[in-house]
Amino acid sequence: MSAYKSEFLRVLAERGFIHQVSEPDQLDARARAGVITGYIGFDCTAASLHVGSLLPIMMLHWMQRTGHRPIVLMGGGTTRVGDPSGKDESRRILTDAAIGENLRAIRGIFDKFLTFGDGPRDAVMANNADWLNSLNYIDFLRDVGRHFSINRMLAFDSVKTRLERQQELSFLEFNYMILQAYDFVELHERHGCHLQMGGSDQWGNIINGIELGRRMLGAQLFALTSPLITTSSGAKMGKTAAGAVWLDADLLSPYAYWQYWRNTEDGDVERFLRLFTVLSIDDIARLAALRGQEINEAKKTLASEATALVHGRDAAAAAETAARQTFEEGVFARALPSVEIALADLEKGLGVLAAFSEKAGLVASNSEARRQVKAGGLKVNDTTVTDEKMILGPRHVTQDGVIKLSLGRKRHMLIKPV
RNA sequence: GGGGGAGUGUCCCGAGCGGCAAAGGGGGCGGACUGUAAAUCCGCUGGCUAUGCCUUCGUAGGUUCGAGUCCUACCUCCCCCA
């Protein structure tokens, strides 16, 4: 790890955010001399960001924290094209309406990590649809296209792998890198942006932007990429039973989010504390020194800190309490995720299978519920379900006024009669 | 334009003499063991009002008692020739 002099690069480096930097010495000097403006692009292919996007968001956060100005670039325009990097197939083309909806849904998350405004260090939200949608094709070819060499573009990994594997690469996708490069130039002109950050897979795209900026404007631009984060057992981050680990509380409850981090593998705890919390390096070192069973304390801290960033302190504390009551004290935790059911329906009797699948959504179908009963994976009020024909009724409501359903040891739901 | 090959369980890869809800992996879920970890072992992995019924093998037809498997057309992809 080289010794950066600017706080910005030093913090990113010591926390493990840096994979590659272009001309690190010059960037370092600039960061020390004044405010740098840098951006990261986010595409709008889904209705919420997931933990995979958390790393870039944290980079922007630290950027602002260390005195610089972050730009969040929403890919309203580029999402219409689709990034071919790392994809073995063309992406589904989304409708403009869908992109617009996704974009609106995603924006909110950034408020939790960045301070937006008009001040010199306030974060800026940009959308490349603002300039890409109105491009004139011929003008664009003459002004921008002339700076791109097909020979060189063909050598880029994202293109090369597709060609080597003889997979279709549409002209549409082929243009993605040009548009992304152009974004950098546009942001430089509009906001004086000098730095583009992103995942390591974006290195080539970012360098294209730097090249284009040099040729079109004679500007000196910089690239900074973060490593690809996988768990120590090699899996990509952000996948669980229920699917992606969304940052939106409507798609994944704060409790489930907390649980995701609580279940971090031992070998990842320290790294994740540095990347996904804002605890000081000293605090992290202390937590990372814990061994054996004690490392669970570090995991709890990781979970609460990470949850607090996304969902707020209160939600994190509630999740922690619910987890402690559920796992350590074996009592009912009212803060577990819950669904309501009409009391009248409950009085009529509710089959266990339907309760787990249709009501609680813990399993995908009645058949799945049936299988779980066979495997001993379902519990009602902490008692294993042995009869798939069991009927839940008012008598199953505990003194806390709920029925607790569990799938395995870790996933719990409360049914509340109303 | 001509010749050849391929598309399989909506997570992925991949076997499949005309009797197939379809081998085997990976992944995932559950169980055991643990520390709500990893590793390991075991089970499960299309749906339903369930000893049966329904929907699945690129799409649409056809042959057959019966088709993923044979025939025809179409779509998509790949290879060779031009």
Side-chain angles (χ1 to χ4, degrees), chain A residues 19 53 96 118-119 132 145 161 167 218 229 253 271 278 284 290-291 347-348 379 381:
Chain A
H19 179 245
S53 302
D96 291 349
D118 296 322
L132 294 182
T161 53
Q167 273 156 341
I229 304 297
S253 69
R271 199 161 46 108
V278 293
I284 292 171
L290 298 173
R291 285 290 166 269
E347 280 164 351
K348 271 183 256 169
K379 293 198 185 86
N381 294 331

Side-chain angles (χ1 to χ4, degrees), chain A residues 35-37 67-69 117-123:
Chain A
V35 176
I36 290 186
T37 301
H68 303 280
R69 184 167 68 138
D118 296 322
R121 291 177 187 184
D122 283 342

Side-chain angles (χ1 to χ4, degrees), chain A residues 54-229:
Chain A
L54 207 50
L55 194 87
I57 295 175
M58 290 303 290
M59 287 202 282
L60 292 177
H61 174 83
W62 284 110
M63 186 170 193
Q64 185 163 47
R65 225 178 213 234
T66 54
H68 303 280
R69 184 167 68 138
I71 298 177
V72 175
L73 177 65
M74 303 302 289
T78 32
T79 301
R80 298 175 72 187
V81 172
D83 181 5
S85 306
K87 295 277 179 276
D88 27 10
E89 283 170 24
S90 295
R91 271 193 196 171
R92 211 161 51 86
I93 302 284
L94 293 159
T95 64
D96 291 349
I99 292 171
E101 263 171 53
N102 290 344
L103 198 148
R104 233 168 293 126
I106 288 168
R107 279 194 162 157
I109 187 71
F110 292 100
D111 288 326
K112 294 169 178 162
F113 291 85
L114 302 169
T115 307
F116 290 93
D118 296 322
R121 291 177 187 184
D122 283 342
V124 173
M125 176 80 71
N127 181 351
N128 61 16
D130 290 348
W131 54 84
L132 294 182
N133 285 359
S134 57
L135 283 180
N136 176 300
Y137 192 58
I138 299 296
D139 289 343
F140 184 72
L141 286 180
R142 287 176 62 106
D143 297 341
V144 178
R146 57 191 290 237
H147 297 297
F148 283 85
S149 146
I150 290 285
N151 310 49
R152 218 161 58 82
M153 286 170 77
L154 290 174
F156 275 95
D157 275 349
S158 58
V159 173
K160 213 165 58 181
T161 53
R162 289 279 282 269
L163 293 179
E164 274 167 6
R165 293 161 85 173
Q166 273 139 359
Q167 273 156 341
E168 158 111 345
L169 176 69
S170 69
F171 184 65
L172 177 76
E173 293 173 285
F174 189 61
N175 275 270
Y176 186 89
M177 63 172 84
I178 297 180
L179 295 177
Q180 185 173 335
Y182 181 67
D183 281 345
F184 202 169
V185 169
E186 192 71 32
L187 285 171
H188 177 72
E189 291 203 296
R190 291 182 176 223
H191 299 288
C193 178
H194 280 88
L195 172 67
Q196 182 181 177
M197 301 187 285
S200 53
D201 58 329
Q202 294 299 312
W203 181 257
N205 286 337
I206 297 174
I207 295 299
N208 274 329
I210 292 178
E211 276 288 299
L212 185 64
R214 192 174 56 72
R215 293 183 187 209
M216 287 180 72
L217 312 168
Q220 185 183 24
L221 306 177
F222 298 91
L224 190 160
T225 56
S226 59
L228 176 69
I229 304 297

